[in-house]
Amino acid sequence: MNLILPLVGLAVVAWLVPWLLGKLVPEGVIWLLVNGVLSALLLAVISAAGFVWLYGEAGGVVWREAPWHFVLLSAKAGIVWGPVMVLSLSALPKRWKRAVW
């Protein structure tokens, strides 16, 4: 149970971030790619912050001594949020009103 909740939470965030950014950026293929890049960067930051939070009191110490540890953990977590983000991005064009896919 200690592993399931963070994974589900990360997957939900990975679905919501591109969806919410899709409401902000214009429609179009180029903007879909921009959404993907922004979503990936935002999800990397969110997952790194999540790891700092999960570490509890030790998170601040590890952050000061070896911040790259959380960057690597965030990159490894990309195996969870990456596919979910791509699925969320692929669902965006079907809601476009002006641009044609």
Side-chain angles (χ1 to χ4, degrees), residues 79-93:
I79 201 163
V80 173
W81 58 257
V84 177
M85 181 195 76
V86 170
L87 285 173
S88 179
L89 284 169
S90 68
L92 291 177

Side-chain angles (χ1 to χ4, degrees), residues 12-98:
V12 168
V13 169
W15 184 267
L16 289 176
V17 166
W19 181 71
L20 291 172
L21 284 176
K23 293 182 177 289
L24 298 175
V25 297
E27 297 173 356
V29 177
I30 298 298
W31 290 105
L32 186 65
L33 295 173
V34 169
N35 187 344
V37 170
L38 290 175
S39 295
L41 291 173
L42 192 57
L43 285 167
V45 169
I46 289 171
S47 63
F51 281 115
V52 172
W53 177 73
L54 286 172
Y55 268 52
E57 294 178 11
V61 175
V62 175
W63 180 258
R64 282 190 299 276
E65 298 297 322
W68 288 105
H69 176 71
F70 293 113
V71 173
L72 292 174
L73 285 175
S74 176
K76 291 176 185 177
I79 201 163
V80 173
W81 58 257
V84 177
M85 181 195 76
V86 170
L87 285 173
S88 179
L89 284 169
S90 68
L92 291 177
K94 70 180 178 183
R95 293 184 183 90
W96 287 352
K97 304 269 191 266
R98 293 178 209 100

